Amino acid sequence: MLNKEWKLNEYVSYLLLTLVLLSSWTDINGIYTELPQIVVTQPEGWKLGAYIALFSSISNIAPLALVFCKCIFRKETLNIIPINYIVMIIGMISCFLLVFLWSDTTYIFNRNRSLALLILFIHWTLIHYLIIIPFLVMELYVLQLLKAQNISFGRVKQYRKVS
């Protein structure tokens, strides 16, 4: 399998998959890059970084939940195409709304809180962790996915041909 020559569509698929995985990391790290600008306007101040890290860690549950659902409903086939569209649409909507609502605050528990920012960030990180799952079931792209994932996560390795 590793010795075959790639066609143009395989190169394009590999490139697009790498860009999807790379863009999700860029989005998440963009919040941390802009954190010094965000904390000036938000009522939580520098505690906001801890909240964002907590919500980012909690979002790791999303792939586990999807795998758990797959184990429970073993006999039914999981249609990947609607999941891909749902994941991408939620990601686009949360990114778009974050542009306009990041500075809004809500009065909860006798204090102003950055509720819109945190809710949209949770959706954003859920999408970040879920974006890889639908591609894993496609046996056609498993090798390309692993290489693209390593490149997008910064783990560039030398791939040898297995004879």
Side-chain angles (χ1 to χ4, degrees):
M1 181 176 163
L2 291 176
N3 289 333
K4 73 175 188 113
E5 294 295 321
W6 280 16
K7 297 176 184 156
L8 179 62
N9 63 346
E10 291 173 328
Y11 281 113
V12 171
S13 299
Y14 178 70
L15 176 69
L16 292 175
L17 190 56
T18 302
L19 289 175
V20 165
L21 295 171
L22 184 64
S23 68
S24 65
W25 271 107
T26 306
D27 290 345
I28 298 299
N29 289 333
I31 288 285
Y32 290 108
T33 304
E34 295 295 327
L35 196 58
Q37 298 292 330
I38 295 173
V39 296
V40 174
T41 62
Q42 299 304 316
E44 289 91 355
W46 284 102
K47 290 180 186 177
L48 193 61
Y51 294 149
I52 287 174
L54 176 69
F55 290 142
S56 181
S57 298
I58 289 172
S59 296
N60 281 314
I61 294 172
L64 180 65
L66 190 63
V67 169
F68 186 67
C69 288
K70 178 72 174 158
C71 290
I72 288 176
F73 303 111
R74 241 182 265 188
K75 297 187 180 190
E76 288 105 29
T77 31
L78 185 62
N79 192 359
I80 298 303
I81 295 171
I83 292 175
N84 284 336
Y85 282 120
I86 289 170
V87 163
M88 288 184 202
I89 288 171
I90 290 174
M92 287 188 297
I93 290 172
S94 65
C95 283
F96 181 74
L97 289 176
L98 201 53
V99 169
F100 300 106
L101 301 176
W102 70 270
S103 61
D104 289 354
T105 58
T106 308
Y107 192 75
I108 299 176
F109 302 121
N110 298 327
R111 296 183 75 187
N112 279 333
R113 307 228 183 235
S114 308
L115 190 63
L117 174 68
L118 294 176
I119 288 175
L120 290 170
F121 184 76
I122 288 171
H123 286 93
W124 209 8
T125 54
L126 284 172
I127 297 309
H128 163 69
Y129 292 118
L130 277 177
I131 197 75
I132 191 112
I133 299 297
F135 292 109
L136 287 178
V137 236
M138 300 177 172
E139 287 116 15
L140 179 64
Y141 294 110
V142 170
L143 181 62
Q144 289 89 343
L145 173 70
L146 292 176
K147 288 181 182 178
Q149 182 180 10
N150 282 331
I151 289 172
S152 68
F153 291 167
R155 298 182 297 239
V156 179
K157 297 180 180 179
Q158 294 292 329
Y159 291 95
R160 295 181 300 161
K161 290 186 177 181
V162 177
S163 47

